[in-house]
Coordinates of all heavy atoms in Angstrom, one line a residue:
I797 N 0.9 -1.2 0.0 CA 0.0 0.0 0.0 C 0.9 1.2 0.0 O 1.9 1.3 0.7 CB -1.0 0.0 1.2 CG1 -2.0 1.0 1.1 CG2 -0.2 0.1 2.5 CD1 -3.2 0.9 2.0
T798 N 0.6 2.2 -0.8 CA 1.4 3.4 -0.9 C 1.1 4.3 0.2 O 0.1 4.2 0.9 CB 1.1 4.1 -2.3 OG1 -0.2 4.6 -2.2 CG2 1.3 3.2 -3.5
G799 N 2.0 5.3 0.4 CA 1.9 6.2 1.5 C 0.7 7.0 1.4 O 0.0 7.3 2.4
C800 N 0.3 7.5 0.2 CA -0.9 8.3 0.0 C -2.2 7.5 0.3 O -3.1 8.0 1.0 CB -1.0 8.8 -1.4 SG 0.3 10.0 -1.8
L801 N -2.2 6.3 -0.1 CA -3.4 5.5 0.2 C -3.5 5.2 1.7 O -4.6 5.2 2.3 CB -3.4 4.1 -0.5 CG -3.6 4.2 -2.0 CD1 -3.4 2.9 -2.7 CD2 -5.0 4.8 -2.3
W802 N -2.4 4.9 2.4 CA -2.3 4.7 3.8 C -2.8 5.9 4.5 O -3.7 5.9 5.5 CB -1.0 4.3 4.3 CG -0.9 4.1 5.8 CD1 -1.2 3.0 6.5 CD2 -0.6 5.1 6.7 NE1 -1.1 3.2 7.8 CE2 -0.7 4.5 8.0 CE3 -0.2 6.4 6.7 CZ2 -0.4 5.2 9.2 CZ3 0.0 7.1 7.9 CH2 -0.1 6.5 9.1
A803 N -2.3 7.1 4.1 CA -2.7 8.3 4.8 C -4.2 8.6 4.6 O -4.8 9.0 5.6 CB -1.8 9.5 4.3
S804 N -4.7 8.4 3.4 CA -6.1 8.7 3.2 C -7.0 7.8 4.0 O -8.0 8.1 4.6 CB -6.4 8.7 1.7 OG -6.3 7.4 1.2
E805 N -6.6 6.5 4.1 CA -7.3 5.5 4.9 C -7.3 5.9 6.4 O -8.3 5.8 7.0 CB -6.7 4.1 4.7 CG -7.4 3.0 5.4 CD -6.7 1.7 5.2 OE1 -6.5 1.3 4.0 OE2 -6.4 1.0 6.2
Y806 N -6.1 6.3 6.9 CA -6.0 6.7 8.3 C -6.9 7.9 8.6 O -7.6 7.9 9.6 CB -4.5 7.0 8.6 CG -4.3 7.5 10.0 CD1 -4.3 6.5 11.0 CD2 -4.2 8.8 10.3 CE1 -4.1 6.9 12.3 CE2 -4.0 9.2 11.6 CZ -4.0 8.2 12.6 OH -3.8 8.6 13.9
I807 N -6.9 8.9 7.7 CA -7.7 10.1 7.9 C -9.2 9.7 7.9 O -10.0 10.1 8.8 CB -7.4 11.1 6.8 CG1 -6.0 11.7 7.0 CG2 -8.5 12.2 6.8 CD1 -5.5 12.6 5.9
F808 N -9.6 8.9 6.9 CA -11.0 8.5 6.8 C -11.4 7.7 8.0 O -12.6 7.8 8.5 CB -11.2 7.7 5.5 CG -12.7 7.4 5.3 CD1 -13.5 8.4 4.8 CD2 -13.2 6.1 5.5 CE1 -14.9 8.1 4.6 CE2 -14.5 5.9 5.3 CZ -15.4 6.9 4.8
E809 N -10.6 6.8 8.6 CA -10.9 6.0 9.8 C -11.2 6.9 11.0 O -12.0 6.5 11.8 CB -9.8 5.1 10.1 CG -9.6 3.9 9.2 CD -8.4 3.0 9.5 OE1 -7.6 3.4 10.4 OE2 -8.3 2.0 8.9
N810 N -10.6 8.1 11.0 CA -10.8 8.9 12.2 C -12.0 9.9 12.0 O -12.3 10.7 12.9 CB -9.5 9.7 12.5 CG -8.5 8.7 13.1 OD1 -8.8 8.1 14.1 ND2 -7.4 8.6 12.5
M811 N -12.5 9.9 10.8 CA -13.7 10.9 10.5 C -15.0 10.3 11.1 O -15.1 9.1 11.1 CB -13.8 11.1 9.0 CG -12.7 11.8 8.4 SD -12.8 11.9 6.6 CE -14.2 13.0 6.4
N812 N -15.9 11.2 11.4 CA -17.2 10.8 11.8 C -18.1 11.3 10.7 O -18.6 12.5 10.7 CB -17.6 11.4 13.1 CG -19.0 11.1 13.5 OD1 -19.7 10.4 12.8 ND2 -19.5 11.6 14.6
T813 N -18.3 10.5 9.6 CA -19.1 11.0 8.5 C -20.6 11.1 8.7 O -21.3 11.7 7.9 CB -18.9 10.0 7.3 OG1 -19.2 8.7 7.7 CG2 -17.4 10.0 6.8
S814 N -21.0 10.7 9.9 CA -22.4 10.9 10.2 C -22.7 12.3 10.8 O -23.8 12.8 10.9 CB -22.9 9.9 11.2 OG -22.3 10.0 12.4
A815 N -21.6 13.0 11.2 CA -21.7 14.4 11.7 C -21.9 15.3 10.5 O -21.4 15.1 9.4 CB -20.5 14.8 12.5
A816 N -22.5 16.4 10.7 CA -22.7 17.4 9.7 C -21.5 18.4 9.6 O -21.3 19.1 10.6 CB -24.0 18.2 10.0
P817 N -20.8 18.4 8.6 CA -19.5 19.2 8.5 C -19.8 20.7 8.6 O -19.0 21.4 9.2 CB -18.9 18.8 7.2 CG -20.0 18.2 6.4 CD -21.0 17.6 7.3
C818 N -20.9 21.2 8.2 CA -21.2 22.6 8.3 C -21.6 23.0 9.7 O -21.5 24.1 10.1 CB -22.3 23.0 7.3 SG -21.8 22.8 5.6
E819 N -22.1 22.0 10.5 CA -22.5 22.3 11.9 C -21.3 22.1 12.8 O -21.1 23.0 13.7 CB -23.6 21.3 12.3 CG -24.9 21.3 11.5 CD -25.6 22.6 11.7 OE1 -25.7 23.1 12.9 OE2 -26.2 23.1 10.7
D820 N -20.5 21.1 12.7 CA -19.4 20.8 13.6 C -18.3 20.1 12.8 O -18.2 18.9 12.7 CB -19.9 19.9 14.7 CG -18.8 19.8 15.8 OD1 -17.6 20.2 15.6 OD2 -19.1 19.2 16.9
F821 N -17.4 20.9 12.2 CA -16.4 20.4 11.3 C -15.4 19.5 12.1 O -15.0 18.5 11.6 CB -15.7 21.5 10.5 CG -14.8 20.9 9.5 CD1 -15.2 20.4 8.3 CD2 -13.4 20.8 9.7 CE1 -14.4 19.8 7.4 CE2 -12.5 20.3 8.8 CZ -13.0 19.8 7.6
Y822 N -15.1 19.9 13.3 CA -14.1 19.2 14.1 C -14.7 17.8 14.3 O -14.0 16.8 14.2 CB -13.8 19.9 15.4 CG -12.8 19.1 16.2 CD1 -11.4 19.2 15.9 CD2 -13.2 18.2 17.2 CE1 -10.5 18.5 16.7 CE2 -12.3 17.5 17.9 CZ -10.9 17.6 17.6 OH -10.0 16.9 18.4
E823 N -15.9 17.7 14.7 CA -16.5 16.3 14.9 C -16.5 15.5 13.6 O -16.3 14.3 13.6 CB -18.0 16.5 15.5 CG -18.7 15.2 15.6 CD -18.1 14.2 16.7 OE1 -17.4 14.7 17.6 OE2 -18.3 13.0 16.5
Y824 N -16.8 16.2 12.5 CA -16.8 15.5 11.2 C -15.4 15.0 10.9 O -15.2 13.8 10.5 CB -17.3 16.4 10.1 CG -17.3 15.9 8.7 CD1 -18.2 15.0 8.3 CD2 -16.2 16.3 7.9 CE1 -18.2 14.4 7.0 CE2 -16.2 15.7 6.6 CZ -17.1 14.8 6.2 OH -17.1 14.3 4.9
A825 N -14.4 15.8 11.0 CA -13.0 15.5 10.6 C -12.3 14.5 11.6 O -11.5 13.7 11.2 CB -12.2 16.7 10.4
C826 N -12.6 14.7 12.9 CA -11.9 13.9 13.9 C -12.7 13.2 14.9 O -12.2 12.7 15.9 CB -11.0 14.9 14.7 SG -10.0 16.0 13.7
G827 N -14.0 13.0 14.6 CA -15.0 12.5 15.6 C -14.7 11.1 16.1 O -15.2 10.7 17.1
R828 N -14.0 10.3 15.3 CA -13.7 8.9 15.8 C -12.3 8.7 16.3 O -11.9 7.6 16.5 CB -14.0 7.9 14.6 CG -15.5 7.9 14.3 CD -16.0 7.0 13.2 NE -15.2 5.8 13.0 CZ -15.0 5.2 11.8 NH1 -15.6 5.7 10.8 NH2 -14.2 4.2 11.7
F829 N -11.6 9.8 16.4 CA -10.2 9.7 16.9 C -10.1 9.0 18.2 O -9.3 8.1 18.4 CB -9.5 11.0 16.9 CG -8.0 10.9 17.3 CD1 -7.1 10.7 16.4 CD2 -7.7 11.1 18.6 CE1 -5.7 10.6 16.8 CE2 -6.4 11.0 19.0 CZ -5.4 10.7 18.1
Q830 N -10.9 9.5 19.2 CA -10.8 8.9 20.6 C -11.2 7.5 20.6 O -10.6 6.7 21.3 CB -11.7 9.7 21.5 CG -11.3 11.1 21.8 CD -10.0 11.2 22.6 OE1 -9.7 10.3 23.4 NE2 -9.3 12.3 22.5
E831 N -12.2 7.1 19.8 CA -12.6 5.7 19.7 C -11.5 4.8 19.1 O -11.3 3.7 19.6 CB -13.8 5.7 18.7 CG -14.3 4.3 18.4 CD -15.4 4.3 17.3 OE1 -16.2 5.3 17.3 OE2 -15.5 3.4 16.5
N832 N -10.7 5.4 18.2 CA -9.7 4.6 17.6 C -8.3 4.7 18.3 O -7.4 3.9 18.1 CB -9.4 5.1 16.1 CG -10.6 4.8 15.2 OD1 -11.3 3.8 15.4 ND2 -10.8 5.6 14.2
H833 N -8.2 5.6 19.3 CA -7.0 5.8 20.1 C -7.4 5.9 21.5 O -7.2 7.0 22.1 CB -6.2 7.0 19.6 CG -5.8 6.9 18.2 ND1 -6.6 7.4 17.2 CD2 -4.7 6.4 17.6 CE1 -6.0 7.2 16.0 NE2 -4.9 6.6 16.2
P834 N -7.9 4.9 22.2 CA -8.4 5.0 23.5 C -7.4 5.3 24.6 O -7.7 5.8 25.6 CB -9.0 3.6 23.8 CG -8.4 2.7 22.8 CD -8.1 3.5 21.6
N835 N -6.1 5.0 24.3 CA -5.0 5.3 25.2 C -4.8 6.8 25.4 O -4.1 7.3 26.3 CB -3.7 4.7 24.8 CG -3.8 3.2 24.9 OD1 -4.7 2.6 25.6 ND2 -3.0 2.5 24.1
F836 N -5.4 7.6 24.5 CA -5.2 9.1 24.6 C -6.4 9.9 25.1 O -6.4 11.1 24.9 CB -4.7 9.6 23.2 CG -3.4 9.1 22.8 CD1 -3.3 8.0 21.9 CD2 -2.3 9.6 23.2 CE1 -2.1 7.5 21.5 CE2 -1.0 9.1 22.9 CZ -1.0 8.0 22.0
R837 N -7.3 9.2 25.7 CA -8.5 9.9 26.2 C -8.0 10.9 27.3 O -7.2 10.6 28.1 CB -9.5 8.9 26.8 CG -10.2 8.0 25.8 CD -11.3 7.3 26.5 NE -11.7 6.1 25.7 CZ -12.4 6.1 24.6 NH1 -12.7 7.3 24.0 NH2 -12.7 5.0 24.0
G838 N -8.6 12.1 27.2 CA -8.2 13.1 28.2 C -7.1 14.0 27.8 O -6.9 15.0 28.4
Y839 N -6.3 13.6 26.8 CA -5.3 14.5 26.3 C -5.9 15.6 25.5 O -6.8 15.4 24.7 CB -4.3 13.7 25.4 CG -3.3 12.8 26.1 CD1 -3.7 11.6 26.7 CD2 -2.0 13.2 26.2 CE1 -2.8 10.8 27.3 CE2 -1.1 12.3 26.8 CZ -1.5 11.2 27.4 OH -0.6 10.4 28.0
S840 N -5.4 16.8 25.7 CA -6.0 17.9 25.0 C -5.3 18.2 23.7 O -5.9 18.8 22.8 CB -5.9 19.2 25.9 OG -4.5 19.5 26.2
N841 N -4.1 17.7 23.5 CA -3.4 18.1 22.3 C -2.6 16.8 21.8 O -1.5 16.6 22.2 CB -2.4 19.2 22.5 CG -1.7 19.7 21.2 OD1 -2.2 19.4 20.1 ND2 -0.7 20.4 21.3
I842 N -3.2 16.1 20.9 CA -2.6 14.9 20.3 C -2.4 15.1 18.8 O -3.3 15.6 18.1 CB -3.4 13.6 20.5 CG1 -3.6 13.3 22.0 CG2 -2.8 12.4 19.8 CD1 -2.3 13.0 22.7
N843 N -1.2 14.8 18.3 CA -1.0 15.0 16.9 C -0.2 13.7 16.4 O 0.1 12.8 17.2 CB -0.2 16.3 16.6 CG 1.1 16.4 17.3 OD1 1.8 15.4 17.5 ND2 1.4 17.6 17.8
Q844 N 0.1 13.7 15.1 CA 0.8 12.5 14.6 C 2.2 12.3 15.2 O 2.6 11.2 15.4 CB 0.9 12.7 13.0 CG -0.4 12.6 12.3 CD -1.2 11.3 12.6 OE1 -0.6 10.3 12.7 NE2 -2.4 11.4 12.9
L845 N 2.9 13.4 15.5 CA 4.2 13.3 16.1 C 4.1 12.6 17.5 O 4.9 11.7 17.8 CB 4.9 14.6 16.2 CG 6.3 14.6 16.8 CD1 7.2 13.7 15.9 CD2 6.8 16.0 16.8
T846 N 3.1 13.0 18.3 CA 2.9 12.4 19.6 C 2.6 10.9 19.4 O 3.1 10.0 20.1 CB 1.7 13.0 20.3 OG1 2.1 14.4 20.5 CG2 1.5 12.4 21.7
L847 N 1.7 10.5 18.5 CA 1.4 9.1 18.2 C 2.6 8.3 17.8 O 2.8 7.2 18.3 CB 0.3 9.0 17.1 CG -1.1 9.5 17.5 CD1 -2.0 9.5 16.2 CD2 -1.7 8.7 18.6
L848 N 3.4 8.9 17.0 CA 4.7 8.3 16.5 C 5.6 8.1 17.7 O 6.2 7.0 17.9 CB 5.3 9.1 15.4 CG 6.6 8.5 14.8 CD1 6.2 7.1 14.1 CD2 7.1 9.4 13.7
K849 N 5.8 9.1 18.6 CA 6.6 9.0 19.7 C 6.2 7.9 20.6 O 7.0 7.1 21.1 CB 6.6 10.3 20.5 CG 7.4 11.4 19.9 CD 7.3 12.6 20.8 CE 8.0 13.8 20.2 NZ 7.8 15.0 21.1
V850 N 4.9 7.8 20.9 CA 4.4 6.8 21.8 C 4.6 5.4 21.2 O 5.0 4.4 21.8 CB 2.9 7.0 22.1 CG1 2.3 5.8 22.8 CG2 2.8 8.3 23.0
K851 N 4.3 5.3 19.9 CA 4.5 4.0 19.2 C 5.9 3.5 19.2 O 6.2 2.4 19.5 CB 4.0 4.1 17.7 CG 3.9 2.9 17.0 CD 3.3 3.2 15.6 CE 2.8 2.0 14.9 NZ 2.2 2.3 13.6
N852 N 6.8 4.5 19.0 CA 8.3 4.1 19.0 C 8.7 3.8 20.4 O 9.5 2.9 20.6 CB 9.1 5.2 18.4 CG 9.0 5.3 16.9 OD1 8.7 4.3 16.3 ND2 9.3 6.4 16.3
R853 N 8.2 4.5 21.4 CA 8.6 4.3 22.8 C 8.1 2.9 23.2 O 8.9 2.1 23.8 CB 7.9 5.3 23.7 CG 8.3 5.1 25.2 CD 7.4 5.7 26.1 NE 6.1 5.1 26.0 CZ 4.9 5.7 26.3 NH1 4.9 6.9 26.7 NH2 3.8 5.0 26.1
D854 N 6.9 2.5 22.8 CA 6.4 1.2 23.1 C 7.2 0.1 22.5 O 7.5 -0.9 23.1 CB 4.9 1.1 22.7 CG 4.0 1.9 23.6 OD1 4.5 2.4 24.6 OD2 2.8 2.1 23.2
K855 N 7.6 0.3 21.2 CA 8.4 -0.7 20.5 C 9.8 -0.8 21.2 O 10.3 -1.9 21.4 CB 8.7 -0.3 19.1 CG 7.5 -0.5 18.2 CD 7.9 -0.2 16.7 CE 6.7 -0.4 15.8 NZ 7.1 0.0 14.4
F856 N 10.4 0.3 21.6 CA 11.7 0.3 22.3 C 11.6 -0.4 23.6 O 12.5 -1.2 24.0 CB 12.2 1.7 22.5 CG 13.6 1.8 23.0 CD1 14.6 1.3 22.3 CD2 13.8 2.3 24.3 CE1 15.9 1.4 22.8 CE2 15.0 2.4 24.8 CZ 16.1 2.0 24.1
V857 N 10.5 -0.2 24.4 CA 10.3 -0.8 25.7 C 10.2 -2.4 25.5 O 10.8 -3.1 26.2 CB 9.1 -0.3 26.4 CG1 8.7 -1.1 27.6 CG2 9.4 1.2 26.9
R858 N 9.4 -2.8 24.5 CA 9.3 -4.2 24.2 C 10.6 -4.8 23.8 O 11.0 -5.9 24.2 CB 8.2 -4.5 23.1 CG 6.8 -4.3 23.7 CD 5.8 -4.9 22.7 NE 5.8 -4.2 21.4 CZ 5.1 -3.2 21.1 NH1 4.4 -2.6 22.0 NH2 5.2 -2.7 19.9
Y859 N 11.4 -4.1 23.0 CA 12.8 -4.6 22.6 C 13.7 -4.7 23.9 O 14.3 -5.7 24.0 CB 13.3 -3.5 21.6 CG 14.8 -3.8 21.3 CD1 15.1 -4.9 20.4 CD2 15.8 -3.0 21.7 CE1 16.4 -5.1 20.0 CE2 17.1 -3.3 21.4 CZ 17.4 -4.4 20.5 OH 18.7 -4.6 20.2
L860 N 13.6 -3.7 24.7 CA 14.5 -3.8 26.0 C 14.0 -5.0 26.8 O 14.9 -5.7 27.4 CB 14.4 -2.5 26.8 CG 15.1 -1.3 26.2 CD1 14.9 -0.1 27.0 CD2 16.6 -1.6 26.0
I861 N 12.7 -5.2 27.0 CA 12.2 -6.3 27.8 C 12.7 -7.6 27.2 O 13.2 -8.5 27.9 CB 10.7 -6.3 27.9 CG1 10.3 -5.1 28.8 CG2 10.1 -7.6 28.4 CD1 8.8 -4.8 28.8
D862 N 12.6 -7.8 25.8 CA 13.1 -9.0 25.2 C 14.6 -9.2 25.5 O 15.0 -10.3 25.7 CB 12.9 -8.9 23.7 CG 11.4 -9.1 23.3 OD1 10.6 -9.5 24.2 OD2 11.0 -8.7 22.2
I863 N 15.4 -8.1 25.4 CA 16.8 -8.3 25.7 C 17.1 -8.7 27.1 O 17.9 -9.6 27.4 CB 17.6 -6.9 25.4 CG1 17.6 -6.7 23.9 CG2 19.0 -6.9 26.0 CD1 18.2 -5.3 23.5
F864 N 16.4 -8.1 28.1 CA 16.6 -8.5 29.5 C 16.1 -9.9 29.7 O 16.8 -10.7 30.4 CB 15.8 -7.5 30.4 CG 16.4 -6.2 30.5 CD1 15.6 -5.1 30.3 CD2 17.8 -6.0 30.8 CE1 16.2 -3.8 30.4 CE2 18.3 -4.8 30.8 CZ 17.6 -3.6 30.6
I865 N 15.0 -10.4 29.1 CA 14.6 -11.7 29.2 C 15.7 -12.7 28.7 O 16.0 -13.7 29.3 CB 13.2 -12.0 28.6 CG1 12.1 -11.2 29.4 CG2 12.9 -13.4 28.4 CD1 10.8 -11.2 28.7
E866 N 16.2 -12.4 27.5 CA 17.2 -13.2 26.9 C 18.4 -13.3 27.8 O 19.0 -14.3 28.0 CB 17.5 -12.7 25.5 CG 18.5 -13.6 24.7 CD 18.7 -13.1 23.3 OE1 17.8 -12.6 22.7 OE2 19.8 -13.3 22.8
Y867 N 18.8 -12.1 28.3 CA 20.0 -12.0 29.1 C 19.8 -12.9 30.4 O 20.7 -13.6 30.8 CB 20.3 -10.6 29.5 CG 21.5 -10.4 30.4 CD1 22.8 -10.6 29.9 CD2 21.3 -10.0 31.7 CE1 23.9 -10.4 30.8 CE2 22.4 -9.9 32.6 CZ 23.7 -10.1 32.1 OH 24.7 -9.9 32.9
D868 N 18.7 -12.7 31.0 CA 18.4 -13.5 32.2 C 18.4 -15.0 31.9 O 18.9 -15.8 32.8 CB 17.1 -13.1 32.8 CG 17.1 -11.8 33.6 OD1 18.3 -11.3 33.9 OD2 16.1 -11.2 33.9
C869 N 17.9 -15.4 30.8 CA 17.9 -16.8 30.4 C 19.3 -17.3 30.3 O 19.7 -18.4 30.7 CB 17.1 -17.1 29.2 SG 15.3 -16.9 29.4
L870 N 20.2 -16.5 29.6 CA 21.6 -16.9 29.5 C 22.3 -17.0 30.8 O 23.0 -18.0 31.0 CB 22.3 -15.9 28.6 CG 22.0 -15.9 27.1 CD1 22.7 -14.7 26.4 CD2 22.4 -17.2 26.5
R871 N 22.0 -16.1 31.7 CA 22.6 -16.2 33.0 C 22.1 -17.4 33.8 O 22.9 -18.1 34.5 CB 22.3 -14.9 33.8 CG 23.1 -13.7 33.3 CD 22.9 -12.4 34.1 NE 23.0 -12.6 35.5 CZ 22.3 -11.9 36.4 NH1 21.5 -11.0 36.0 NH2 22.4 -12.2 37.7
L872 N 20.9 -17.7 33.7 CA 20.3 -18.9 34.4 C 20.9 -20.1 33.8 O 21.3 -21.0 34.6 CB 18.8 -18.9 34.2 CG 18.0 -20.0 34.9 CD1 18.3 -20.0 36.4 CD2 16.6 -19.9 34.6
R873 N 21.1 -20.2 32.5 CA 21.7 -21.4 31.9 C 23.1 -21.5 32.3 O 23.6 -22.7 32.6 CB 21.7 -21.3 30.3 CG 20.4 -21.5 29.7 CD 20.5 -21.5 28.2 NE 19.1 -21.4 27.7 CZ 18.8 -20.5 26.7 NH1 19.7 -19.7 26.2 NH2 17.6 -20.4 26.3
E874 N 23.8 -20.4 32.5 CA 25.2 -20.5 33.0 C 25.3 -21.0 34.4 O 26.1 -21.8 34.7 CB 25.9 -19.1 32.9 CG 26.2 -18.7 31.5 CD 26.7 -17.2 31.4 OE1 26.8 -16.6 32.5 OE2 27.0 -16.8 30.3
R875 N 24.4 -20.5 35.2 CA 24.4 -21.0 36.6 C 24.0 -22.4 36.7 O 24.5 -23.1 37.6 CB 23.4 -20.1 37.4 CG 23.8 -18.7 37.7 CD 22.9 -18.0 38.6 NE 23.3 -16.6 38.8 CZ 22.6 -15.7 39.4 NH1 21.5 -16.0 39.9 NH2 23.1 -14.5 39.5
L876 N 23.1 -22.9 35.9 CA 22.7 -24.3 35.9 C 23.6 -25.2 35.1 O 23.4 -26.4 35.1 CB 21.2 -24.4 35.4 CG 20.2 -23.7 36.3 CD1 18.8 -23.8 35.6 CD2 20.1 -24.3 37.7
K877 N 24.5 -24.5 34.4 CA 25.4 -25.3 33.5 C 24.7 -26.1 32.4 O 25.0 -27.3 32.2 CB 26.4 -26.2 34.3 CG 27.1 -25.4 35.4 CD 28.5 -25.4 35.2 CE 29.2 -24.9 36.5 NZ 29.6 -23.5 36.5
L878 N 23.7 -25.5 31.8 CA 22.9 -26.1 30.7 C 23.6 -25.9 29.4 O 24.1 -25.0 29.0 CB 21.5 -25.6 30.7 CG 20.7 -25.9 31.9 CD1 19.3 -25.3 31.8 CD2 20.5 -27.4 32.1

């Protein structure tokens, strides 16, 4: 999938097309954002950079956890002489 198609799909997923754009454009354009990003409820200012930071932080944390688990397993094997 190309970047343009991905971006348009992402934008459309966060739209609330049942809202009237002339009445409440924000609701129309972003009305399903909270539904699609429940971890950000209550934040007043969320943008794509924030989403990217959180996503990368989560990936990094999972990577570090995997490293620590692997290291602990190696140490345990050494102690048990496996």
